[in-house]
């Protein structure tokens, strides 16, 4: 395969962009070789700058549930662009998308839009702290919730440990407000809450863990998180940045029948544009400024182009639900990979939940 143009662009990028990329996973560190630079995408296919064609299994890290350049999404975004790309004032599109999300998610009465999953998680945690008047947060080892300070942490040693910074640049004093527990371990959660439960503002979890391979929650695990956190007055946050609209139109909360206090959405929500959001019960969301005392804001939040794309994407999903097809395509891929591995005598473990 010839990638001369990508090679040239990679050299140039490294001169003016740190590490040549705007997000570290794009540097191909985990897969080897150098990144290939993309020219265009259509449906499930990508074409790079040297004219090579690919089937795209990345789909912008899960954001493009309809594939590249879906005509309905492109047309909605073009229409929105042609009438102005940002106003710094409210638009009807924000209310329309929020309404659709609130209709789909049992845990969401109201949603505040922001621009990235990281920002949505960070804001949801501030809201949980403001609402409960508590400082500690609890996350799970192996779950990723974006790159904000308190969440970019590693587990210390042992169960129920206070976290240590997972990167240079995070003060130890920030990481100390985060507790880290093992995923899928009911006893560990009970133990932590019995020790410090009255100081915990929230538990944040990927309801199907997608950032350490795919790990499905045990049958009663999510309900256990809900029961224990509500017993101690802590909020349960589902980070549905990956699972939202992917496991079904109501995400993991629809699939497993457990309703969190707060839900974080991203990726698919913006139809391939930068949009994310956090939502929950009305009484909690009322604590946000301008109504309540918890401040959070954004110049480009609820951007009309992203809102229009998100609405168009949700309309396509509603009128032609893709979930059975996604499921069977993912099963086919799983089967093919499994067969190829066993023919080659390579032991392999595949975890799949729907199209994750
Ligand atoms: N939460 C989860 C579960 C994620 O997988 C990610 C990103 O992959 C994030 C949050 C952060 O989202 P973003 O990359 O949009 O900041």
């Amino acid at each position: 395969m010839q990638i001369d143009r990508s090679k040239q662009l990679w050299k140039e990028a490294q001169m003016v962009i740190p590490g040549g990329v705007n997000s570290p996973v794009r540097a191909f560190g985990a897969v080897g070789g150098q990144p290939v630079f993309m020219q265009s995408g259509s449906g499930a296919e990508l074409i790079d700058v040297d004219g090579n064609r690919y089937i795209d299994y990345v789909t912008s890290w899960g954001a493009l549930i309809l594939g590249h350049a879906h005509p309905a999404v492109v047309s909605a975004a073009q229409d929105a662009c042609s009438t102005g790309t940002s106003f710094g004032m409210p638009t009807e599109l924000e209310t329309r998308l929020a309404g659709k999300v609130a209709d789909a998610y049992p845990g969401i009465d109201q949603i505040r839009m922001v621009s990235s999953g990281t920002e949505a998680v960070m804001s949801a945690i501030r809201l949980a702290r403001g609402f409960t008047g508590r400082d500690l947060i609890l996350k799970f080892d192996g779950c990723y919730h974006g790159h904000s300070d308190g969440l970019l942490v590693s587990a210390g040693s042992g169960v129920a440990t206070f976290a240590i910074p997972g990167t240079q640049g995070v003060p130890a004093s920030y990481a100390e407000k985060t507790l880290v527990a093992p995923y899928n371990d009911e006893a560990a959660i009970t133990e932590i809450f019995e020790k410090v439960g009255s100081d915990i503002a929230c538990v944040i979890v990927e309801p199907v863990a997608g950032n350490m391979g795919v790990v499905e929650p045990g049958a009663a695990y999510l309900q256990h998180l809900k029961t224990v956190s509500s017993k101690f007055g802590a909020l349960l946050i589902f980070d549905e940045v990956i699972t939202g609209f992917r496991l079904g139109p109501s995400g993991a909360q629809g699939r497993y029948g457990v309703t969190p206090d707060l839900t974080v959405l991203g990726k698919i929500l913006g139809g391939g544009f930068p949009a994310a959001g956090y939502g929950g019960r009305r009484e909690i969301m009322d604590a946000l400024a301008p109504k309540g005392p918890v401040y959070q804001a954004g110049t480009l939040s609820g951007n009309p182009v992203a809102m229009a794309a998100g609405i168009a994407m949700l309309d396509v999903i509603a009128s032609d639900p893709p979930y059975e097809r996604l499921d069977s395509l993912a099963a086919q891929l799983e089967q093919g990979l499994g067969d190829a591995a066993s023919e080659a005598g390579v032991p392999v473990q595949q975890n799949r939940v729907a199209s994750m």
Side-chain angles (χ1 to χ4, degrees):
M1 198 170 81
Q2 190 262 99
I3 56 164
D4 293 351
R5 179 85 183 122
S6 273
K7 282 182 179 160
Q8 178 59 32
L9 289 174
W10 182 227
K11 259 194 212 144
E12 289 175 26
Q14 290 175 92
M15 299 297 289
V16 289
I17 300 173
V21 288
N22 282 312
S23 192
V25 289
R26 296 179 201 167
F28 278 38
V31 295
Q34 71 140 81
V36 280
F37 283 63
M38 289 304 144
Q39 185 74 48
S40 63
S42 174
E45 230 181 57
L46 285 172
I47 299 178
D48 73 13
V49 289
D50 290 286
N52 301 300
R53 302 172 93 86
Y54 308 81
I55 298 173
D56 184 10
Y57 290 104
V58 178
T59 60
S60 190
W61 301 96
L64 299 178
I65 195 167
L66 302 177
H68 294 273
H70 189 283
V73 176
V74 170
S75 150
Q78 280 172 339
D79 287 351
C81 278
S82 67
T83 51
T85 57
S86 185
F87 300 105
M89 280 184 272
T91 60
E92 181 177 345
L93 292 165
E94 294 160 77
T95 310
R96 295 286 161 260
L97 184 56
K100 283 177 187 292
V101 173
D103 285 348
Y105 282 77
I108 298 183
D109 295 331
Q110 291 196 322
I111 181 166
R112 169 66 60 83
M113 299 293 177
V114 294
S115 301
S116 73
T118 295
E119 191 187 356
V121 169
M122 191 180 79
S123 308
I125 283 180
R126 182 180 305 147
L127 174 59
R129 284 177 162 150
F131 182 78
T132 58
R134 302 171 177 184
D135 285 350
L136 291 181
I137 63 174
L138 174 63
K139 79 176 282 287
F140 296 93
D141 202 13
C143 286
Y144 176 70
H145 303 289
H147 65 84
S148 66
D149 283 350
L151 289 161
L152 215 52
V153 298
S154 307
S157 55
V159 172
T161 53
F162 289 92
I164 52 172
T167 170
Q168 294 272 313
V170 172
S173 58
Y174 287 21
E176 277 164 13
K177 300 288 182 208
T178 307
L179 297 159
V180 182
Y183 192 78
N184 255 346
D185 182 340
E186 291 190 18
I189 285 298
T190 309
E191 191 185 320
I192 294 171
F193 267 94
E194 279 169 0
K195 273 191 201 145
V196 290
S198 57
D199 296 325
I200 297 177
C202 61
V203 177
I204 182 161
V205 65
E206 284 183 75
V208 172
N211 281 291
M212 49 170 164
V214 172
V215 183
E216 191 163 21
Y221 186 62
L222 296 176
Q223 185 55 53
H224 180 73
L225 293 183
K226 168 97 185 180
T227 307
V228 176
S229 51
S230 67
K231 179 175 162 199
F232 285 86
L235 302 186
L236 177 62
I237 305 177
F238 277 5
D239 179 347
E240 298 229 37
V241 166
I242 294 178
T243 54
F245 306 108
R246 175 156 298 284
L247 296 183
S250 328
Q253 55 199 266
R255 185 180 179 98
Y256 297 102
V258 177
T259 303
D261 299 295
L262 290 172
T263 301
V264 180
L265 294 168
K267 295 196 190 274
I268 292 175
L269 178 69
F273 286 80
Y278 61 107
R281 286 203 311 279
R282 194 172 304 274
E283 51 156 340
I284 304 173
M285 300 308 286
D286 274 349
L288 278 178
K291 207 167 181 188
V294 179
Y295 192 72
Q296 182 271 317
T299 301
L300 293 175
S301 291
N303 175 264
V305 183
M307 297 297 101
I311 292 167
M313 179 276 305
L314 287 185
D315 286 346
V316 172
I317 284 181
S319 66
D320 183 15
Y323 296 104
E324 273 181 31
R325 178 151 182 272
L326 275 173
D327 200 71
S328 82
L329 286 172
Q332 212 178 311
L333 177 62
E334 180 186 19
Q335 178 79 43
L337 287 170
D339 290 350
S342 70
E343 269 166 38
V346 176
V348 68
Q349 167 72 40
Q350 298 190 74
N351 289 3
R352 179 176 71 83
V353 179
S355 64
M356 285 177 71

